[in-house]
């Protein structure tokens, strides 16, 4: 088959976890073409500005849809959505350009853009949900739903050999995730401050935007930022003694999480 993976960009967390599935299809003889967003769905080019970056993104996506229509792909897998907004005009164009449209959802985007996500779900030939909870929501609008869990390649994520306690007095507690989720660390900030008063440890935050850390009260905590886009992620995870994944209890978004951090740890 000739398959298009129409995704939000190489740096988008959902793409990092879902793309390996399409690499496996390529290994099995299918032709997989990656149509990525430029700039990525959540970003802009600072030198170009937000407005012009959006225009560039739309131009790139329009060109990609024209290519899909011209080259006649057997299936187009749409990851999450083309834009991070209520607009789904290009999704409708992609529907008409696709021989078969498959909608891949790994997060509760329907809580942010309910009308848009429902419309895409209804117009799709099939939905891939990353967990049973998302699948349950999707079946309200489309009965052709498959669950393909978010996972990691165990051949790459080799378990670390834990060092002996005598090797180093300082332990490393870490968190990995997108910059938009950094505010969730406020849930455990009081605990981290208290532990820092009794034990020597470094708190390592592996994400893409260091400025987000300024919003947190981590006074007295030895905090180190690691740029997720410029590091070997697995090597950084091997350096952690403890990985944390705080989830606010009062946020409905948490109900649909795929627990990718936990799987990585």
């Amino acid at each position: 088959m000739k398959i298009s993976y129409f995704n939000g960009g190489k740096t988008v967390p959902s793409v990092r976890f879902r793309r390996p599935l399409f690499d496996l299809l390529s290994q099995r003889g299918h032709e997989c073409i990656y149509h990525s967003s430029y700039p990525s769905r959540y970003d802009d080019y600072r030198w170009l500005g937000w407005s012009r970056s959006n225009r560039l993104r739309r131009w790139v996506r329009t060109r990609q849809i024209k290519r899909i229509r011209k080259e006649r792909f057997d299936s187009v897998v749409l990851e999450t959505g083309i834009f991070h907004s209520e607009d789904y005009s290009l999704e409708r164009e992609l529907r008409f350009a696709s021989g078969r449209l498959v909608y891949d959802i790994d997060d509760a985007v329907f809580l942010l853009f309910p009308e848009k996500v429902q419309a895409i779900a209804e117009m799709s030939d099939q939905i891939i949900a990353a967990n049973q909870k998302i699948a349950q929501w999707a079946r309200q609008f489309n009965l052709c739903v498959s669950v393909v869990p978010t996972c990691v390649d165990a051949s790459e994520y080799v378990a670390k050999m834990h060092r002996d306690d005598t090797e180093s007095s300082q332990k490393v507690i870490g968190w990995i995730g997108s910059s938009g989720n950094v505010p969730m660390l406020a849930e455990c900030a009081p605990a981290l401050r208290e532990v820092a008063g009794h034990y020597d440890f470094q708190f390592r935050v592996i994400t893409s935007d260091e400025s987000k850390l300024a919003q947190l009260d981590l006074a007295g905590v030895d905090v180190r930022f690691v740029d997720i886009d410029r590091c070997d992620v697995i090597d950084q995870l091997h350096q952690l003694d403890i990985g944390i994944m705080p989830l606010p209890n009062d946020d409905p978004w948490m109900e649909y999480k795929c627990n990718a951090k936990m799987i990585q740890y």
Side-chain angles (χ1 to χ4, degrees):
M1 293 179 64
K2 188 175 183 179
I3 303 167
S4 165
Y5 180 39
F6 207 88
N7 64 77
K10 296 178 182 179
T11 61
V12 173
S14 55
V15 178
R16 284 195 179 112
F17 285 101
R18 307 300 271 181
R19 174 165 175 160
L21 300 173
F22 297 91
D23 292 339
L24 288 174
L25 288 175
S26 296
Q27 293 171 20
R28 296 182 183 187
H30 301 287
E31 182 181 0
C32 293
I33 310 287
Y34 300 100
H35 290 113
S36 300
S37 177
Y38 296 99
S40 71
R41 184 168 53 237
Y42 306 116
D43 298 329
D44 65 290
Y45 295 134
R46 293 181 181 178
W47 55 270
L48 196 59
W50 180 255
S51 179
R52 290 182 178 178
S53 291
N54 277 336
R55 289 201 294 271
L56 173 61
R57 185 166 25 238
R58 179 173 286 274
W59 180 83
V60 169
R61 293 317 231 169
T62 301
R63 296 276 295 181
Q64 290 171 341
I65 292 171
K66 288 180 178 178
R67 178 186 176 186
I68 287 170
R69 181 183 291 112
K70 181 180 179 181
E71 297 187 15
R72 298 178 180 272
F73 284 78
D74 296 297
S75 288
V76 175
V77 180
L78 171 62
E79 177 267 325
T80 305
I82 295 178
F83 302 121
H84 190 62
S85 71
E86 288 283 5
D87 177 20
Y88 59 97
S89 57
L90 286 188
E91 279 87 353
R92 287 196 295 265
E93 290 187 28
L94 185 63
R95 163 67 281 178
F96 294 123
S98 307
R100 176 179 174 81
L101 182 64
V102 180
Y103 191 23
D104 183 20
I105 315 175
D106 85 324
D107 234 332
V109 286
F110 42 83
L111 296 180
L112 297 176
F113 313 116
E115 179 183 339
K116 168 186 175 175
V117 180
Q118 178 180 334
I120 300 172
E122 291 174 338
M123 72 173 74
S124 297
D125 294 293
Q126 183 171 358
I127 295 175
I128 298 175
N131 61 37
Q132 291 290 352
K133 196 71 177 179
I134 295 173
Q136 182 181 345
W137 175 89
R139 289 191 182 101
Q140 300 175 88
F141 312 107
N142 192 319
L143 295 180
C144 194
V145 178
S146 301
V147 177
V148 180
T150 295
C151 55
V152 299
D153 186 340
S155 67
E156 294 182 358
Y157 280 75
V158 180
K160 80 175 270 188
M161 297 298 292
H162 285 272
R163 62 182 181 233
D164 191 295
D165 285 347
T166 60
E167 291 185 24
S168 173
S169 59
Q170 187 181 57
K171 302 302 178 185
V172 181
I173 299 174
W175 178 90
I176 186 170
S178 62
S179 60
N181 287 333
V182 169
M184 290 184 189
L185 292 172
E187 291 290 310
C188 62
L192 290 169
R193 294 196 304 269
E194 181 172 349
V195 172
H198 301 280
Y199 299 96
D200 178 25
F201 73 92
Q202 180 186 91
F203 181 46
R204 195 168 300 183
V205 181
I206 309 168
T207 189
S208 60
D209 187 354
E210 186 175 10
S211 67
K212 299 281 186 177
L213 289 171
Q215 303 170 14
L216 304 172
D217 181 6
L218 292 171
V221 180
D222 179 8
V223 182
R224 179 188 169 193
F225 163 74
V226 178
D227 191 337
I228 195 171
D229 297 322
R230 293 177 172 80
C231 75
D232 182 327
V233 169
I234 298 174
D235 177 65
Q236 287 296 326
L237 292 174
H238 275 154
Q239 296 178 40
L240 305 183
D241 295 295
I242 300 171
I244 62 173
M245 190 179 72
L247 300 176
N249 288 327
D250 57 352
D251 187 342
W253 186 275
M254 300 303 108
E255 189 177 344
Y256 298 93
K257 295 292 284 183
C258 292
N259 299 326
K261 294 178 185 57
M262 186 183 298
I263 295 167
Q264 285 180 289
Y265 299 149

